[in-house]
Amino acid sequence: MADAPHVHHAIDYIELSVLDMHQARRFYDSAFGWRFNDYGPTYGGIQKDGGETGGIRVASSVSAGGPLVILYSRDLEATIAGVREAGGRITKETFEFPGGRRFHFADSSGNELAVWSAK
């Protein structure tokens, strides 16, 4: 991460708690094509060009609520299909808002995230 540019006061890194590392990595790889740096059985860094953008870590429990991580998609319907095929559960069907559309989903550990698109 030291080589990647960092922006003052911007969100720099997000960590998601997961119940099962293997299952979570399989879900995020299948749904979004994410790749991970392997730091052992309890932590995986989410790769991006020039570094990492976050991580997944094994926890004994996962709580719903808290900050909502929102991903961007160029093709919302394809992303919804990918989430479903990977075993994700849609928690809020696609809805419109000023500037775009989005949906919410639960990952294999129960974390809720959202995906938006301008189209």
Side-chain angles (χ1 to χ4, degrees):
M1 281 185 11
D3 295 338
H6 300 279
V7 178
H8 183 64
H9 288 173
I11 293 174
D12 193 62
Y13 199 86
I14 298 287
E15 284 186 350
L16 299 172
S17 296
V18 300
L19 300 175
D20 181 294
M21 180 61 67
H22 180 72
Q23 184 179 32
R25 287 175 70 151
R26 186 174 59 238
F27 172 80
Y28 284 107
D29 176 35
S30 178
F32 303 111
W34 289 5
R35 299 289 179 250
F36 296 89
N37 293 319
D38 186 5
Y39 295 112
T42 62
Y43 198 88
I46 303 166
Q47 295 178 0
K48 70 174 183 178
D49 290 341
E52 290 180 2
T53 191
I56 55 176
R57 63 180 173 82
V58 174
S60 60
S61 65
V62 173
S63 300
L68 179 64
V69 175
I70 303 174
L71 310 174
Y72 176 76
S73 173
R74 284 183 234 123
D75 185 342
L76 205 60
E77 283 67 32
T79 301
I80 292 168
V83 166
R84 286 187 169 129
E85 289 169 14
R89 180 176 51 86
I90 305 302
T91 58
K92 190 178 286 189
E93 294 293 334
T94 303
F95 63 93
E96 293 187 12
F97 65 92
R101 301 178 307 131
R102 82 180 199 200
F103 72 95
H104 295 208
F105 70 92
D107 70 8
S108 56
S109 293
N111 291 299
E112 184 176 6
L113 289 84
V115 181
W116 84 281
S117 177
K119 299 178 184 179

